[in-house]
Amino acid sequence: MLAYLLFVLICVLICRISIRVSFYVLIIGCSVSLLLLPDTGADYGAYKDAYDNAYFTIEYPWFQTASSLTAEPAYKWYTSFFANVIPLGFSSFLMFNFLLCVLLTFYWSKLIPEWKKYIYIFWLYSLPVVFPTIFYWSPRSSISFIMIFGGFLYMLKNEKIMSVILFFCGCSIHSQYLLFSFLIIYTCFSLRLLKPNLYLAFAVCSACALAFVLRSLSEFTQVLSSMLDFMPSSATITAIMHYFEEEQGGWGYRLTSVLSIFVFPAIAWSLIKNRRFADKAVVEEFVDGYYYLYVFFCIILYGCAINIAFIDMSHLASRLGRFSDYMAMCFLFPLYIRYKFGDNMLIILLLLFCVMAPFIYKGLYANLY
């Protein structure tokens, strides 16, 4: 991870010359990193075992694995497909998976042309935490996250069918995104029906209700499991429902919850409250009136609610709030900094974040010390 961290710092410094050039360096450097980084000593070995034991059969669903990896059937099919079509080793699979995710983000960003230039920044801000987490430590979180991101963009454009398809695919690969998929659909539908002067009340009430429901969810795990029987990953969902039980939820507090509970909501609210910064362009270059901003605000508040509900259960908080945290870290925060302070500060803060990441996310950079 030390070599990866040095690459990240170089990549950020190149931003001072050109963000686009830095992005191309990112593509090359991240691909090489995935090819060369060693076993994490954690789940990496289990994912590799699933890839190495993949096989092709004439029976549906054709691509399968003999591994006992505890993961959704859709992810096992996905990794088995790559293992049979591009049999170049697990590290090569990680690289191709990363490149596919990058291509998909650029393809889906065409839905909102004004957003396309932010995709470069999105990937640059993913370097310190998001990239190593979902592409190296937990590969099934990567393509699933990107599919949920695509579904989110389609839902913003009110293209419901394609959005639901992507949500279904993303949740089938990793069921931890089920909650946020539902919340995105619920929020986008609700805000389109409400008048703008009711947006704030809706966001706050929805977040408070979510925190209350989640904290009480341990009493309804069996009912919830039966409701999700239609999912291809229903067996996996049922198996992991025990995390909602207080003795199984991963006791402990995490320092980074401060970002989710205080920092990100404050930034999201600031973008709504101050749509103009000095004489700069209105944030409407990025948004459709207040609607997009309030969708983001709701997503950030949901992440806040999840972290409050599971403030003493770090494992649950980090998993369920992952979509909110990543969108805030890679999209909303850079947007705020760029409009508030300009591109120079955008690069300076990214550099600072890269330097601080090994100390804030010690588990992620465990073998650095």
Side-chain angles (χ1 to χ4, degrees), residues 66-363:
S67 171
S68 58
L69 172 69
T70 304
E72 291 75 2
Y75 173 76
K76 291 183 178 180
W77 183 93
Y78 177 73
T79 191
S80 300
F81 171 82
F82 267 94
N84 284 274
V85 175
I86 310 175
L88 297 176
F90 181 65
S91 57
S92 297
F93 159 69
L94 295 181
M95 181 188 71
F96 281 109
N97 175 63
F98 164 66
L99 295 175
L100 174 61
C101 289
V102 172
L103 289 174
L104 287 175
T105 57
F106 274 90
Y107 176 76
W108 285 324
S109 67
K110 293 179 181 178
L111 291 167
I112 308 175
E114 297 84 359
W115 289 26
K116 189 171 182 180
K117 64 183 179 182
Y118 291 97
I119 297 299
Y120 294 104
I121 299 173
F122 173 91
W123 283 107
L124 286 167
Y125 264 77
S126 76
L127 286 175
V129 176
V130 178
F131 171 82
T133 301
I134 66 177
F135 290 103
Y136 177 47
W137 285 83
S138 180
R140 67 177 167 146
S141 297
S142 55
I143 187 66
S144 53
F145 171 73
I146 297 303
M147 285 186 172
I148 302 302
F149 174 75
F152 170 59
L153 294 186
Y154 274 106
M155 187 57 68
L156 285 179
K157 296 297 291 183
N158 208 25
E159 297 187 25
K160 305 179 187 66
I161 296 177
M162 191 62 192
S163 175
V164 171
I165 290 173
L166 287 175
F167 283 145
F168 181 80
C169 292
C171 293
S172 296
I173 293 174
H174 203 337
S175 51
Q176 73 175 8
Y177 293 114
L178 265 171
L179 175 61
F180 253 103
S181 295
F182 167 77
L183 290 173
I184 291 170
I185 294 172
Y186 159 74
T187 300
C188 290
F189 269 91
S190 299
L191 290 182
R192 288 192 182 280
L193 296 175
L194 294 173
K195 295 181 179 179
N197 61 339
L198 297 176
Y199 285 177
L200 178 59
F202 167 82
V204 174
C205 290
S206 295
C208 291
L210 177 64
F212 174 77
V213 170
L214 288 178
R215 195 62 192 187
S216 308
L217 201 59
S218 59
E219 303 174 13
F220 309 101
T221 53
Q222 291 184 349
V223 176
L224 188 59
S225 296
S226 62
M227 290 174 61
L228 297 173
D229 277 343
F230 69 94
M231 293 290 295
S233 55
S234 58
T236 306
I237 294 172
T238 301
I240 63 176
M241 276 296 174
H242 69 276
Y243 285 127
F244 287 99
E245 300 169 9
E246 290 194 1
E247 68 273 13
Q248 300 289 339
W251 283 98
Y253 300 87
R254 62 188 189 116
L255 176 64
T256 52
S257 64
V258 173
L259 295 173
S260 304
I261 296 174
F262 298 106
V263 178
F264 294 152
I267 290 173
W269 175 244
S270 180
L271 280 171
I272 293 173
K273 190 176 180 181
N274 305 296
R275 296 176 70 192
R276 286 183 179 274
F277 298 116
D279 296 325
K280 295 183 180 180
V282 183
V283 182
E284 284 176 348
E285 172 190 314
F286 178 79
V287 301
D288 176 15
Y290 277 126
Y291 175 72
Y292 287 1
L293 278 179
Y294 262 104
V295 171
F296 267 100
F297 184 57
C298 288
I299 287 174
I300 301 306
L301 283 191
Y302 296 150
C304 173
I306 290 169
N307 277 271
I308 291 175
F310 301 122
I311 187 69
D312 55 346
M313 302 165 76
S314 58
H315 184 75
L316 266 177
S318 62
R319 285 196 168 221
L320 293 180
R322 185 165 286 178
F323 183 80
S324 175
D325 289 345
Y326 290 175
M327 289 302 293
M329 194 179 299
C330 299
F331 218 98
L332 201 65
F333 182 65
L335 171 71
Y336 173 79
I337 297 301
R338 191 170 198 180
Y339 274 94
K340 184 74 173 178
F341 304 106
D343 285 346
N344 286 336
M345 185 57 69
L346 188 73
I347 297 168
I348 291 172
L349 288 180
L350 177 56
L351 183 62
L352 180 63
F353 190 30
C354 291
V355 173
M356 294 174 60
F359 303 98
I360 300 175
Y361 299 91
K362 291 184 177 181

Side-chain angles (χ1 to χ4, degrees), residues 16-86:
R16 193 69 183 83
I17 302 172
S18 169
I19 290 178
R20 183 164 296 191
V21 171
S22 181
F23 170 76
Y24 295 137
V25 173
L26 177 154
I27 295 297
I28 297 171
C30 287
S31 298
V32 173
S33 296
L34 291 173
L35 287 173
L36 300 180
L37 284 171
D39 192 325
T40 62
D43 293 339
Y44 186 99
Y47 285 115
K48 184 177 184 300
D49 182 64
Y51 182 89
D52 292 340
N53 287 281
Y55 61 91
F56 175 79
T57 176
I58 59 174
E59 297 180 359
Y60 179 84
W62 307 297
F63 301 101
Q64 301 182 36
T65 177
S67 171
S68 58
L69 172 69
T70 304
E72 291 75 2
Y75 173 76
K76 291 183 178 180
W77 183 93
Y78 177 73
T79 191
S80 300
F81 171 82
F82 267 94
N84 284 274
V85 175
I86 310 175

